[in-house]
Amino acid sequence: MENRVNIYTDRVRFPVAEDLYGLFFEDINRAGDGGIYPEMIRNRSFEDSLIPGGCTTDPDQMVYINRGGWPGCFNHGEGMDEWAAKVPYTPVPGWYSENASMTVDTDETLNSKREASLLVNFTEGGRIFNIGYAGMNVEDGASYDLVMFLKTKKDLRLTITLESPAGEVFAEGTVQTGDSGEWSRADLRLTSKGTCRNAWMAITSPSAAEICFGYTSLLPEDTYKGHGLRKDIVEALMATHPKFLRYPGGCIVEGMSIETAMRFSNTIGDPWERPSHNLMWHYRTTNGFGYHEFLQLCEDTGMAPLYVCNVGMSCQARVSELFDEETVDEFLEEALGALEYALGPADSKYGAMRAAAGHPEPFSMKYFEIGNENHGPEYNERYEKFYKALKAKYPDVIYISNTHTEDAGLPTEMADEHYYNAPEFFMENDNRFDSYDRSGPDIFLGEYAVNGGNTIASMECALAESVFLAGVERNQDIVKLTAYAPLLQNSDYTAWRPNLVVFNNHEVYGIPSYHAISLMAANRGKEVIETEVTSPRVPPVYFGVPGIMSAGPGVQFRNARVNGKPVAVSQMVYGGCEEKDGTFTLVSADNPHPMTGKNPVWNETFEKFMKSGFFPGMTAGEDNCWAVFEGEDLEEYTFEIEFCCRPEDQVTLSIWNYHPDTDAGCNEPKDVRWNLRSVRNQIWRIESGKGTLQAPSYMQRGEIPAVELDIDYSGFNTYRIEARHDGYDCFLNGKLVQSKRHTLHDTLYTVATQDEEKVILKLIKVGETADVRITLDCEVEPDYKVQTLSAPLDAVNSFENMENVSVRTRECSGASSDFVFRAEENSVNVLTFKKK
């Protein structure tokens, strides 16, 4: 079949959505302090070792546990196991001492917002030092500004140095303490005379003394537009051509307890007066990249602000706490305060605070999201309350619901949808929004990423996401905003993968998806025009082994065969299996699924939480049974089995059972065995005389309606599944009873836009290189530009090869109203034609 694209410039569908491509910042992977906010001192508030509010811990402080039983990694404040293992133990995370003793003091604090200070007893020549975020990066000739609050009754001149672990000094200065016994502030600018990627900052006392440190910060003098953010990270983000910035989350908005829920008022004012905040991503932040910095960054870059408020609930994925009415009202006041800070006059309460921070004129606030990943009647009730109050006070702001609250009859301007999935999902859903009701709310694709499947952060992921985004662009009359998630990953502190931009303390690169999104966002046009596409269609390729599951014991089976050859059970995923004379019976059995990969306390606590039943369908009940048969993973095969059950039994035959070993998503304890949380498969479920097929979709499911089956429940029946690339057929006692046909994947996906001078064609080629005939209903100049992202599917970027997968631009000739373009294998292409 010929690959063909017809472009109709006279068939205008609708204008492009001006803010379609944006960014979503959430403080994951130490993305804030030590990241976009370039604080060089780790644990500058000395509070990292404090237990998060609303949580308890084990005696060794390996984990913290919220009131619902969800555990996070703690390691007495060092965070993830991997992070703690990289550094020597210290009772004060980030800080070490020589000839001095350190104590975290929770009684003597700098101000009412601080929970601790650092009490140090120096001997003569004693010192303390901070190792930063996997070391401090100091550059030759660059300057760094120290702010330190301390108190002592001894007048001293402390020496401050930036030095290598071997003792080479790159910068040195002194600060005077005073002897008042009251808090005083010391400021110092240090200029480096060399470059070091793993420097430390040391504080040395000339004589014995007791000094209390209340807050200590070291920031580079050179920041993005002088507003305190790391230049190379912001510049990398701006290269994606973003039109909006969603902030501050994400799950951190909800928190893991009432105490850890995000409050806007804690993120404004002087940094030393902002309460620190323990995030559910296993570390504490001091909110250096706070609300004011967010608004300032949007103003500096022309992005529209999109703020997310807490709606009176903690994270529902971590056993939600519903705030009482009084507390809900507090969070509503927080939301109103956030809007007033951005939009209010300088003589209003929060407008005056904005003016005091150096911005007397209002900022902008275009979008405001009410809650994050909340749902259910509890959310609906709170959403309605917030929406009415916020809309009445600030009617010009566009308000976003984090679910489809219009289904409950509530006013909904825009609904937020999140998709984390395998490549197949994105490939099969390029037309997802075609059938959406145009009289319903606009759509915000607030979080999306390929985070499951065979590869992570690869060209395969970028290709699948580009297919999905082309479908979004063809529906931007209703899909108005999109943002990949998460955004930033400090490579030394990874709590989630993949992330769009990866950095260490001196380098930054984008994953292949970063380059695909940048390419798509850079080429927008003014209006979407119609295209017609003809190309070969191919089935998705699934592979795995067969299995049988039951919701309770007592099901008997025999004569399991694959391609006519007998197969035995390779393992019981859940429950047990007893054999007698060639007949096997599924039985209840103690078959635990121990979590592994992290410290023993976290493994055990997380296993207990997963078994609590909080996640329906993710963990099996006590009586569930699941047998997986031996053999290698196959794409096409015939599976036969005889089993005997009662009408009330639920028996499932599973096809293409596959357990991917990619390290995707949350960096939490993993069940290395097969489990319902990670296995990808397709199923034929038998229950009450009916059969139901369930289509594959990683993390999301869709069913084909059940059909009546003629089952003889008095004995064994023979079930056969013929699995092929194009789907599978189900046979009962030799008779075809149900079939599933896979959604075929196109090998060519397109979207086209235009303005007065040019036509832009986005063309995504899946599979092998092919010639594509392109026709236009207008004349174009023969010279045209082609931008291409193409690489082997498993190709990734790294610090060693940051541009391994990146866009190539070339000038071509030969375009006309009818010509042939050669599309590279597995490529994302943008062709720009000049109209004659």
Side-chain angles (χ1 to χ4, degrees), residues 89-374:
Y89 173 80
T90 171
V92 187
W95 292 90
Y96 295 83
S97 63
E98 292 177 354
N99 300 318
S101 63
M102 300 184 300
T103 304
V104 174
D105 189 342
T106 56
D107 295 323
E108 192 66 56
T109 62
L110 175 63
N111 53 52
S112 62
K113 303 293 182 67
R114 299 261 65 86
E115 295 183 61
S117 60
L118 183 67
L119 183 63
V120 183
N121 279 283
F122 293 93
T123 61
E124 183 178 346
R127 67 178 192 157
I128 59 174
F129 56 94
N130 188 278
I131 63 172
Y133 295 89
M136 299 178 183
N137 177 50
V138 297
E139 302 275 356
D140 187 26
S143 296
Y144 305 91
D145 292 327
L146 175 72
V147 175
M148 177 189 298
F149 289 86
L150 51 80
K151 68 176 182 177
T152 180
K153 294 182 178 179
K154 194 169 186 178
D155 191 20
L156 298 165
R157 184 171 291 276
L158 302 177
T159 299
I160 314 297
T161 53
L162 298 178
E163 58 187 65
S164 73
E168 181 181 2
V169 175
F170 297 96
E172 183 173 339
T174 62
V175 296
Q176 197 74 32
T177 67
D179 59 2
S180 68
E182 301 296 329
W183 290 110
S184 63
R185 171 175 169 168
D187 293 82
L188 177 67
R189 174 163 289 182
L190 297 163
T191 300
S192 179
K193 59 183 180 180
T195 295
C196 182
R197 307 302 188 195
N198 62 337
W200 298 342
M201 188 196 78
I203 304 171
T204 304
S205 175
S207 60
E210 181 179 89
I211 303 176
C212 192
F213 296 89
Y215 170 94
T216 304
S217 171
L218 184 69
L219 290 163
E221 180 269 335
D222 186 20
T223 60
Y224 188 77
K225 294 192 174 181
H227 287 143
L229 301 183
R230 182 169 153 177
K231 291 176 68 174
D232 58 347
I233 290 181
V234 176
E235 288 166 356
L237 299 184
M238 291 306 100
T240 66
H241 311 280
K243 295 297 186 180
F244 70 89
L245 175 60
R246 180 176 180 237
Y247 168 96
C251 292
I252 68 167
V253 169
E254 305 149 89
M256 55 199 165
S257 62
I258 294 175
E259 293 86 346
T260 57
M262 180 68 78
R263 291 176 180 261
F264 130 83
S265 58
N266 288 341
T267 69
I268 56 175
D270 291 325
W272 50 88
E273 293 186 340
R274 300 178 188 179
S276 64
H277 180 197
N278 201 295
L279 309 170
M280 60 186 60
W281 302 115
H282 318 292
Y283 60 93
R284 187 178 287 261
T285 177
T286 60
N287 292 313
F289 183 46
Y291 187 66
H292 185 94
E293 290 76 14
F294 153 66
L295 294 172
Q296 186 67 65
L297 176 61
C298 290
E299 183 176 90
D300 287 344
T301 58
M303 291 187 290
L306 192 166
Y307 184 71
V308 186
C309 74
N310 185 294
V311 74
M313 309 170 70
S314 66
C315 181
Q316 287 175 282
R318 293 163 178 85
V319 190
S320 181
E321 293 182 327
L322 301 176
F323 306 174
D324 60 31
E325 185 174 355
E326 181 179 351
T327 309
V328 170
D329 288 342
E330 289 179 15
F331 277 85
L332 176 54
E333 289 303 314
E334 288 277 332
L336 288 165
L339 284 166
E340 183 176 279
Y341 189 98
L343 303 174
D347 59 356
S348 63
K349 174 184 176 181
Y350 287 109
M353 296 177 70
R354 180 195 67 236
H359 201 286
E361 295 301 315
F363 287 109
S364 67
M365 180 62 70
K366 187 171 184 179
Y367 303 102
F368 198 96
E369 185 165 4
I370 301 172
N372 171 75
E373 291 187 352
N374 299 128

Side-chain angles (χ1 to χ4, degrees), residues 328-537:
V328 170
D329 288 342
E330 289 179 15
F331 277 85
L332 176 54
E333 289 303 314
E334 288 277 332
L336 288 165
L339 284 166
E340 183 176 279
Y341 189 98
L343 303 174
D347 59 356
S348 63
K349 174 184 176 181
Y350 287 109
M353 296 177 70
R354 180 195 67 236
H359 201 286
E361 295 301 315
F363 287 109
S364 67
M365 180 62 70
K366 187 171 184 179
Y367 303 102
F368 198 96
E369 185 165 4
I370 301 172
N372 171 75
E373 291 187 352
N374 299 128
H375 56 84
E378 297 86 0
Y379 171 71
N380 290 346
E381 177 185 348
R382 289 162 172 77
Y383 166 80
E384 183 177 21
K385 180 175 186 173
F386 274 60
Y387 178 82
K388 289 181 177 179
L390 299 175
K391 193 68 176 176
K393 183 75 171 178
Y394 299 96
D396 294 333
V397 175
I398 298 171
Y399 294 97
I400 303 171
S401 168
N402 69 196
T403 189
H404 281 276
T405 43
E406 78 277 7
D407 293 341
L410 300 177
T412 308
E413 300 175 28
M414 187 177 291
D416 188 358
E417 297 184 357
H418 295 177
Y419 298 100
Y420 294 103
N421 223 303
E424 298 94 322
F425 171 86
F426 291 95
M427 296 286 288
E428 294 171 7
N429 281 273
D430 73 299
N431 60 353
R432 185 174 190 86
F433 302 104
D434 291 1
S435 59
Y436 272 45
D437 182 3
R438 265 49 188 178
S439 64
D442 289 334
I443 302 300
F444 172 29
L445 189 57
E447 299 180 29
Y448 71 89
V450 171
N451 78 328
N454 306 321
T455 55
I456 290 296
S458 67
M459 180 65 202
E460 178 186 28
C461 304
L463 190 70
E465 291 156 359
S466 297
V467 167
F468 191 68
L469 288 172
V472 166
E473 288 205 28
R474 293 195 303 271
N475 286 277
Q476 56 189 303
D477 61 322
I478 188 169
V479 184
K480 300 298 187 182
L481 309 171
T482 68
Y484 184 100
L487 179 62
L488 294 174
Q489 174 191 345
N490 187 324
S491 62
D492 293 299
Y493 302 95
T494 300
W496 178 287
R497 293 181 66 235
N499 305 272
L500 198 65
V501 174
V502 184
F503 65 92
N504 56 27
N505 66 12
H506 65 287
E507 295 172 296
V508 181
Y509 73 86
I511 66 173
S513 298
Y514 167 90
H515 293 279
I517 292 167
S518 300
L519 177 60
M520 301 282 277
N523 297 278
R524 299 283 289 119
K526 287 187 176 180
E527 52 194 20
V528 179
I529 55 179
E530 188 172 323
T531 58
E532 291 178 350
V533 180
T534 303
S535 72
R537 306 186 77 203

Side-chain angles (χ1 to χ4, degrees), residues 685-745:
R685 187 173 65 243
I686 314 297
E687 184 178 16
S688 302
K690 296 181 179 180
T692 303
L693 304 182
Q694 198 170 63
S697 181
Y698 179 70
M699 295 178 67
Q700 299 180 24
R701 299 286 179 179
E703 290 189 355
I704 295 176
V707 300
E708 296 285 346
L709 300 177
D710 185 15
I711 301 173
D712 180 5
Y713 280 104
S714 66
F716 285 86
N717 293 262
T718 301
Y719 298 81
R720 183 171 88 249
I721 298 175
E722 295 180 359
R724 300 181 307 276
H725 287 152
D726 67 343
Y728 52 93
D729 295 323
C730 303
F731 296 80
L732 173 60
N733 296 323
K735 179 181 178 182
L736 177 64
V737 291
Q738 287 183 276
S739 294
K740 166 68 171 65
R741 291 294 170 263
H742 288 149
T743 300
L744 297 181
H745 292 180

Side-chain angles (χ1 to χ4, degrees), residues 531-557:
T531 58
E532 291 178 350
V533 180
T534 303
S535 72
R537 306 186 77 203
V538 297
V541 175
Y542 301 104
F543 50 87
V545 297
I548 183 171
M549 302 184 235
S550 68
V555 174
Q556 295 182 311
F557 68 87

